Amino acid sequence: MQTKKLIERFHSEIQVNYFSIRLQLILAILIGNFFCSPSKFLVFDERYSEPRFYLYWFLSSLITLCVLYAAHVFNRFMDKKLSWLTDFKPRLIGQIIYGLLLPALLTTVFVLLVFLPLTSKGMDAIGPYIRNEFRFVFLFIFILNLLFLLVYVIRFAKFVKDQYVEAEIEKTELKELLIEYEELQVKLEDGRMEDVSDTVMLAPCLRVKYGYEDNYVPLNGIAFIKSSADDKKLLTLTSSREYTHNYSLDTLMKILDHNQYYLMYRRYIVNRSIIKGYHALENGVIRVELKPNFEQQEDIFVSRQDAADFRRWFEMK
């Protein structure tokens, strides 16, 4: 289950950029010349001293660049639909048919139409041309797909490593996050916890800020949490104050009661007690309606992928 969530997070947060456009351009120039001078790179012999050699080189490079760019777009599209990690067999089949055989065939036919003259001599050369060039194009696209797969695996491995490092940091952060009763009492004696009600005073607390002052909010007294690049705020059930925090939502969900709190769109955590209801929109997304004391908050949505899970959570007794 954790592995599946990790893979889903990888695909939701990371868009693999296989080859930059500069690298594609360099490869296109080299392979375009290779196509004009088979078995050699950057060859300028007497056969190609005519200006048309450069025209052929330009056309070959342009075709190669189109193949590289199309393969790049195709693989990024397939990453969203069929992951190598969770849908290996259908992804492999789709990659062979639509990422290897079909592009190799279409490229060979297109090159044939561009370079062979529509004469009797050109027609006689079609058969040998297809046999020779199809093998070359097929091998090129096959190697290209292997490189894309290698880049994908390396990028996922780096993502997993980053997540492991982040998890270790969060463990250290959690040790400072939870305040036991004895520490809470010390803060109460200093008169800095006037916002905490007696019913939740003994609960573990979260350190937040109100302006420049440290405050401690009981975990079961949190109503609403928002986390974005430029706005991190927290509201309690017993006050209209807005506190600021420095925690990631994933970290907070590790210490909050999942029966009471729900993570929405990776930007909000909402307490069940402040939710008035929800409405399903036409695109499958759910719009959450908050109770009057909190309805001034911005619109909160649940994604189409999480809609069914949210309904089960909200309707759970």
Side-chain angles (χ1 to χ4, degrees), residues 188-204:
L188 286 170
E189 291 172 4
D190 292 339
R192 296 162 63 183
M193 280 298 295
E194 56 190 31
D195 182 48
V196 181
S197 67
D198 293 335
T199 58
V200 295
M201 192 176 296
L202 299 182

Side-chain angles (χ1 to χ4, degrees), residues 95-109:
Q95 201 77 25
I96 292 174
I97 297 175
Y98 301 108
L100 180 59
L101 295 177
L102 186 61
L105 182 60
L106 291 177
T107 303
T108 303
V109 172

Side-chain angles (χ1 to χ4, degrees), residues 70-89:
H72 189 276
V73 173
F74 171 76
N75 276 270
R76 292 179 70 168
F77 172 79
M78 290 292 284
D79 288 344
K80 296 179 181 179
K81 300 297 182 180
L82 296 171
S83 168
W84 282 111
L85 302 167
T86 56
D87 307 290
F88 180 80
K89 186 175 180 180

